[in-house]
Amino acid sequence: MVEAARRVVFLTGAGISTESSIPDFRSAGGLYSDPGHANIFEIEAFLADPAPFYRFAGSFLELLDRAAPNRGHQAIARLQQTREVVVITQNVDGLHERAGSRRVHGVHGDFTRSVCLRCGASVPTAELRSVIASGRVPFHGCGGLFKPAVTFFGETLPRQAWEKAAAALKAADLLIIVGSSLVVYPAAGLPDLRPRGCGLVIVNREPTPRDGEADLVVRAGAGATLEMFL
Ligand code: NAD
């Protein structure tokens, strides 16, 4: 299918990065298995009291620092050297870019930058690390609260990335979904934009709501599967 396709689009989720030791949300051992994380990415909860989020963010930043792209990210980047491939990702870890992928559209934003909610100033999240690590909530000089540039539940998605993702999907002849439970909307609705005749492959350890419409479902680890086929 990959060989026959002219324009391949990947839609990746947190599952492609679990092999880089970044937990996903919904697997056993994922972030949601800790009841304290249930509303960690809810915008209302964050604005009401950002302290619980920043307690979590300290350890999440450490995980991101230590994480390296795995063979799944690398296989996609390798394929991009010889074929027209676009990567749409729900992840905020930057690992596709670090594996060398280009044309990566992050529809849930980017954890590596933070934005002041009062004046809009944008800084590398790494600059806030010492404040976050000391258990404090980071504020900008203007007095505004910093928030990582990721989309929280209850917020709209970054418009430019979404439009680029939609355009790529409308022109795709093969869509390969990797490591996503496909339950987080609107991202989970993106596959509906693929044209009629576009092949659909799903690589995920657990069943997803779209398995029935796929041409091929590979229920196995992303790294080994992508390395084997790409
Ligand atoms: P999810 O947690 O809802 O689902 C992940 C899916 O991946 C599960 O169905 C699981 O069975 C599967 N999976 C886990 N490890 C796998 C592996 N090695 N190979 C194949 N499949 C594997 O994640 P989601 O669908 O991406 O949606 C949740 C949201 O979580 C996203 O919006 C994303 O922004 C956010 N998130 C991102 C990161 C990250 O950037 N790495 C980490 C956690 C959560």
Side-chain angles (χ1 to χ4, degrees), residues 19-20 68-76 78 222-227:
E19 293 169 53
S20 296
N70 64 53
R71 52 196 176 155
H73 303 102
Q74 284 156 357
I76 294 174
R78 217 167 32 243
T225 306
L226 297 185
E227 188 177 61

Side-chain angles (χ1 to χ4, degrees), residues 13-14 18-19 25-26 90 92-93 108 180-181 204-206 222:
T18 56
E19 293 169 53
F25 274 170
R26 291 176 182 79
Q90 302 171 75
V92 295
D93 54 31
H108 287 165
S180 176
S181 59
N204 206 62
R205 275 194 186 140
E206 290 165 293

Side-chain angles (χ1 to χ4, degrees), residues 29 41 49 53 56 74 77 85 99 103 119 134 168 187 204 206 208 213:
F41 281 104
D49 179 10
F53 171 81
F56 155 80
Q74 284 156 357
V85 173
R103 294 187 298 279
C119 72
S134 69
N204 206 62
E206 290 165 293
T208 81
E213 62 190 85

Side-chain angles (χ1 to χ4, degrees), residues 16 20 34 40 48 62 76 78 87 99 116 147 195 199 210 212 229:
I16 197 172
S20 296
D34 178 339
I40 206 84
E62 269 178 40
I76 294 174
R78 217 167 32 243
V87 183
C116 168
K147 173 184 164 292
R210 288 192 186 265
F229 287 107

Side-chain angles (χ1 to χ4, degrees), residues 20-187:
S20 296
S21 303
I22 303 176
D24 62 9
F25 274 170
R26 291 176 182 79
S27 290
L31 295 171
Y32 281 166
S33 51
D34 178 339
H37 291 155
N39 63 358
I40 206 84
F41 281 104
E42 305 274 351
I43 189 65
E44 268 189 40
F46 176 80
L47 294 176
D49 179 10
F53 171 81
Y54 276 111
R55 278 197 292 277
F56 155 80
S59 50
F60 194 64
L61 272 173
E62 269 178 40
L63 276 180
L64 292 188
D65 275 351
R66 283 200 299 265
N70 64 53
R71 52 196 176 155
H73 303 102
Q74 284 156 357
I76 294 174
R78 217 167 32 243
L79 188 70
Q80 273 194 324
Q81 289 168 7
T82 56
R83 305 195 81 85
E84 193 177 325
V85 173
V86 169
V87 183
I88 303 169
T89 188
Q90 302 171 75
N91 295 344
V92 295
D93 54 31
L95 291 182
H96 283 298
E97 291 88 341
R98 283 176 51 198
S101 272
R102 294 152 290 129
R103 294 187 298 279
V104 181
H105 306 313
V107 291
H108 287 165
D110 176 5
F111 208 88
T112 65
R113 296 206 66 83
S114 289
V115 177
C116 168
L117 295 181
R118 179 177 290 174
C119 72
S122 168
V123 302
T125 304
E127 283 183 12
L128 311 175
R129 181 174 289 120
S130 57
V131 174
I132 297 171
S134 69
R136 286 173 293 147
V137 171
F139 286 93
H140 185 236
C142 77
L145 172 65
F146 271 117
K147 173 184 164 292
V150 299
T151 310
F152 280 36
F153 291 106
E155 290 190 298
T156 51
L157 304 195
R159 196 163 138 214
Q160 210 187 14
W162 182 266
E163 283 172 0
K164 287 186 173 165
L169 275 166
K170 286 176 188 164
D173 34 44
L174 179 61
L175 170 60
I176 305 178
I177 302 176
V178 186
S180 176
S181 59
L182 292 176
V183 298
V184 179
Y185 278 81

